[in-house]
């Protein structure tokens, strides 16, 4: 209770500084969710609002969820090698819906030779297994900051 | 900030405008919130269905069953609240997983929010978010609380119909006659009735209702795996009248007055020179002094000189 309700003055609260909202998703067929739980918990401990889309959401569901929840970042993960197709689907649907103010980051088992292509689609990060959590968190924070700035100018 | 455009978007039922407005309400402070609410207030007319109960009784899963059924009777939106971490302030918003497929099939708008450490089972701005959903033309707004303890009863100040969810094995008849959450239910739902002890759970609730002369309160056993008896729950919800709109308005008004006063006077608190020691005066004297100095008086003078 202390520090909850009236800890910050209404006026000084800034949209750009509010907790980052992030959607973790494994679009299309992939049932490996141990890693994403580790990430979800790490992001929570970094002060983010974390939504996990559950197993097997379609790319459409991922985009729908991202829009309805107004997330800052979508973090896509696939371990099964389908990233070039599934990640691209997500990006295409985002584009079709005219969404350009959500950052998309990627991760999973992603061969080095695929990374430039993913970057060109706008999917950054693309971290593999063993990446220290703080590197991932810093990357997401940086992307989220860009997005919040972008949005603030919009409204 | 272009709240005019957002408000228009809300009234048109545009999901992106709704989503962004809700974020701004949560994150941007008093002035932006006021600007949005002012423009949309009075639009729409929704029945707010509160879903509350202890963690793990199946509230989210139940909404996955309930929302599609209610959608046959009107437009439905879902707002679910999950607890924030007291250490990092972050949150895992996990309600969506349990209802995702059911909702996305029908295009039902669903939003999960963190309670941002606010006590009482809701978040600080739940009332405002509900108004956004209402103005967007939803007929039914399902509002899921944080997994609640015995004293988390804020939901009754916002919901028109409060459904208290329980499951077999949570306690005996003494639990059932306790105060707090057991008193606020307009409908009691016993989930997981395929489990052992469901008969006793229903009996205990009914007996406690009979003691407090509220036997007409429905007690419904449901099975969320099979969807058994959900139609009965929907019918009970539809039959309920919206109660105490005046009281709900009054409660919110009071909160806003408190916030507005705080909003106005926290600047004065911030401007006090504290040095490295606390002040000599006790906080009560100091607070009265601040108010006396700055409160506008009916004769137009700005407080008395101290």
């Amino acid at each position: 209770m202390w520090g909850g309700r009236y800890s910050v003055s209404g006026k000084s609260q800034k949209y750009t500084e509010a907790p980052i909202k992030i959607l973790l998703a494994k679009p299309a067929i992939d049932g490996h969710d141990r890693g994403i739980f580790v990430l979800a918990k790490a992001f929570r401990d970094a002060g983010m609002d974390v939504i996990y889309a559950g197993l097997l959401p379609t790319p459409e569901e991922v985009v729908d969820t991202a829009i309805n929840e107004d997330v800052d970042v979508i973090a896509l993960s696939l371990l099964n090698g389908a990233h070039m197709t599934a990640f691209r689907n997500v990006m295409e649907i985002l584009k079709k819906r005219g969404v350009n103010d959500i950052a998309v980051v990627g991760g999973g088992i992603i061969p080095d030779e695929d990374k430039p292509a993913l970057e060109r689609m706008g999917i950054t990060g693309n971290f593999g297994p063993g990446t220290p959590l703080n590197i991932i968190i810093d990357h997401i924070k940086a992307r989220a900051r860009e997005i919040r700035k972008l949005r603030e100018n919009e409204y | 900030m272009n709240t005019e455009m957002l408000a228009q978007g809300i009234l048109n039922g545009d999901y992106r405008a709704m989503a962004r407005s809700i974020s701004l309400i949560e994150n941007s402070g008093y002035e932006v919130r006021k600007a949005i609410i002012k423009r949309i207030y009075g639009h729409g007319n929704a029945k707010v269905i509160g879903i509350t109960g202890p963690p793990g009784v199946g509230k989210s899963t139940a909404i996955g069953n309930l929302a599609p059924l209610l959608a046959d009777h009107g437009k439905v939106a879902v707002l679910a609240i999950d607890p924030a971490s007291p250490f990092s302030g972050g949150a895992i918003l996990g309600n969506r997983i349990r209802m995702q497929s059911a909702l996305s099939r029908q295009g039902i708008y669903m939003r999960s929010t963190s309670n941002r450490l606010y006590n009482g089972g809701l978040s600080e701005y739940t009332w405002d978010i509900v108004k956004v959903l209402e103005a967007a033309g939803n007929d039914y707004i399902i509002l899921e609380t944080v997994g609640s303890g015995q004293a988390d009863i804020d939901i009754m100040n916002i919901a028109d119909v409060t459904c208290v969810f329980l499951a077999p094995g949570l306690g005996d008849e003494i639990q059932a006659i306790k105060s707090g959450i057991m008193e606020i239910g307009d409908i009691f739902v016993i989930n997981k009735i395929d489990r052992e002890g469901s008969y006793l759970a229903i009996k205990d609730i009914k007996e406690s209702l009979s003691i407090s002369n509220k036997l007409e309160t429905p007690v419904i056993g449901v099975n969320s795996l099979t969807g058994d008896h959900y139609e009965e729950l929907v019918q009970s919800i539809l039959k309920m009248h919206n109660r105490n709109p005046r009281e709900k308005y009054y409660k919110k008004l009071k909160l806003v007055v408190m916030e507005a006063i705080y909003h106005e006077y926290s600047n004065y608190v911030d401007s006090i020179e504290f040095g490295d020691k606390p002040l000599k005066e006790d906080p009560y004297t100091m607070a009265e002094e601040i108010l006396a100095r700055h409160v506008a008086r009916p004769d137009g003078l700005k407080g008395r000189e101290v």
Side-chain angles (χ1 to χ4, degrees), chain B residues 260-273:
Chain B
I261 291 174
Y262 181 80
H263 181 62
E264 184 75 31
Y265 290 100
S266 64
N267 294 334
Y268 299 124
V269 180
D270 293 343
S271 68
I272 296 173
E273 297 285 341

Side-chain angles (χ1 to χ4, degrees), chain B residues 10 51 103 109-110 133 173 181 183 204 230 293:
Chain B
I10 295 172
I51 307 283
L103 300 190
Y109 183 86
M110 190 266 170
L133 298 176
E173 60 269 34
I181 197 171
E183 291 175 291
D204 286 343
Y230 266 92
R293 200 181 310 192

Side-chain angles (χ1 to χ4, degrees), chain B residues 287-300:
Chain B
E288 279 178 14
E289 208 164 285
I290 290 173
L291 287 178
R293 200 181 310 192
H294 300 288
V295 171
R297 285 178 18 185
D299 52 13

